[in-house]
Amino acid sequence: QTTFLVPDANGWCSVCLSRPFQLEVKMQVEYMSFSAHADAKGIMQLIRQAEPRNVLLVHGEAKKMEFLKQKIEQEFHVNCHMPANGETVTVFTSPNIPVDVSLALLKRERAVGPLPDSKKPKLMHGTLIIKDNSFRLVSPEQALKELGLAEHQLRFTCRIHFQDPRKEHETGLRVYNHLKSILKDYSVQHLSDTSIMVESILIQVTVQSEDPATKLLLVSWTYQEEEMGSYVTSLLKKALPQITA
C-alpha cells in the first residue's frame, strides 16, 4: 500500500494507490526537498533543519538503525522510534493553540483582583468561540450578543444539615456573624429576609418540618463562582458555630 500527499484547491489530501479514495488532511503540511535514499549524514541534516519532536526510523539494517537511533536521541534530545513491521507507535504531542482574548474580558478579570502570579495562573471565565479556524475567548455577554442567544442562569446548591433549637432568624444571624469573623476580606451581608450573601454566594436558613430543631442551610452559587462557593461550603461544614439551647 502506497500513500502520498497531493495539493488540491482546498489544501492537501492523502491519496492511497491501493484503494480508490482520498482522505482530507486536517493539519499544516510543509514541503521539503530531500532524497528518499539519504544516508545517516543526510538524515541527521534533515532532522537538524526540520527540528521535529519525534523521529521514526522505518527502513534499514537493524544494527545501523539502532546506532542511528541512539545518536539522534543523544544529539537532538528527541524521541526516536524504530518500530518493527506491523508495530504501532503512539506519538504524544502538546500542540500550542493560539487563542485571542478580548480586551474587555481582560479588563474585567483584572478589576476583580490583582494580576496572577506567573507560577500560579489565575482562572479566567469566558466563552470560547471557534469560527473560521480561529479561537476567541470573550465574555459570556459578548458571546450571547454575537450569537444571538438568550441567557440561562445555572446555579449549584449544596444542602447542609445541623442541629439548632433557635428560630430561623437567630440561626441566620449566628451564621452571618460566624462568616463575617472569618471572611474579613470579603463582602458578607445579612439581608432583610434573613438570608446571607457572601459576595454573590447565597445562603438561606430553613427548618425541617418533621424536626424544627434541625436546620437546613442552602448554599447556592453560579458556575462563575464555583471556587468561592466550594470554599464557603467547606467553611460551614467544618466550622459551624457551636449552638446550644
Side-chain angles (χ1 to χ4, degrees), residues 77-121:
H77 305 289
V78 298
N79 296 320
C80 185
H81 307 274
M82 195 179 73
N85 290 340
E87 180 182 352
T88 299
V89 175
T90 301
V91 177
F92 297 96
T93 63
S94 300
N96 294 320
I97 302 176
V99 178
D100 293 329
V101 182
S102 72
L103 183 59
L105 180 61
L106 289 174
K107 288 182 177 179
R108 187 178 72 175
E109 291 294 325
R110 182 175 181 178
V112 172
L115 291 175
D117 187 335
S118 59
K119 296 181 180 179
K120 296 180 180 179

Side-chain angles (χ1 to χ4, degrees), residues 63 129 151 169 180 186 192-193 220 228 242:
K63 291 184 178 180
I129 297 179
E151 181 179 8
H169 71 275
K180 187 76 173 178
Y186 296 89
S192 58
D193 62 352
S220 66
M228 186 65 185
Q242 295 297 319

Side-chain angles (χ1 to χ4, degrees), residues 100-186:
D100 293 329
V101 182
S102 72
L103 183 59
L105 180 61
L106 289 174
K107 288 182 177 179
R108 187 178 72 175
E109 291 294 325
R110 182 175 181 178
V112 172
L115 291 175
D117 187 335
S118 59
K119 296 181 180 179
K120 296 180 180 179
K122 181 179 178 181
L123 182 64
M124 177 181 293
H125 292 283
T127 302
L128 184 65
I129 297 179
I130 306 175
K131 186 178 181 181
D132 298 330
N133 294 323
S134 65
F135 296 78
R136 291 190 302 123
L137 187 65
V138 301
S139 66
E141 296 79 12
Q142 182 178 342
L144 290 171
K145 184 177 180 180
E146 289 187 16
L147 301 175
L149 300 176
E151 181 179 8
H152 297 273
Q153 190 67 253
L154 178 66
R155 296 188 69 89
F156 300 92
T157 301
C158 179
R159 300 160 64 92
I160 304 175
H161 295 84
F162 67 101
Q163 292 296 316
D164 178 18
R166 301 176 187 273
K167 295 182 179 180
E168 292 178 54
H169 71 275
E170 293 176 333
T171 301
L173 183 59
R174 294 179 72 90
V175 173
Y176 163 74
N177 290 330
H178 174 63
L179 292 175
K180 187 76 173 178
S181 65
I182 297 176
L183 304 172
K184 297 180 180 179
D185 296 329
Y186 296 89

Side-chain angles (χ1 to χ4, degrees), residues 168-226:
E168 292 178 54
H169 71 275
E170 293 176 333
T171 301
L173 183 59
R174 294 179 72 90
V175 173
Y176 163 74
N177 290 330
H178 174 63
L179 292 175
K180 187 76 173 178
S181 65
I182 297 176
L183 304 172
K184 297 180 180 179
D185 296 329
Y186 296 89
S187 172
V188 183
Q189 304 175 60
H190 191 212
L191 306 181
S192 58
D193 62 352
T194 72
S195 60
I196 303 162
M197 290 289 292
V198 180
E199 298 293 339
S200 63
I201 312 301
L202 177 63
I203 304 170
Q204 296 173 301
V205 182
T206 62
V207 178
Q208 294 288 79
S209 57
E210 59 274 10
D211 182 11
T214 300
K215 298 298 187 295
L216 176 64
L217 288 183
L218 300 176
V219 187
S220 66
W221 60 88
T222 64
Y223 77 93
Q224 295 96 329
E225 295 292 340
E226 171 66 27

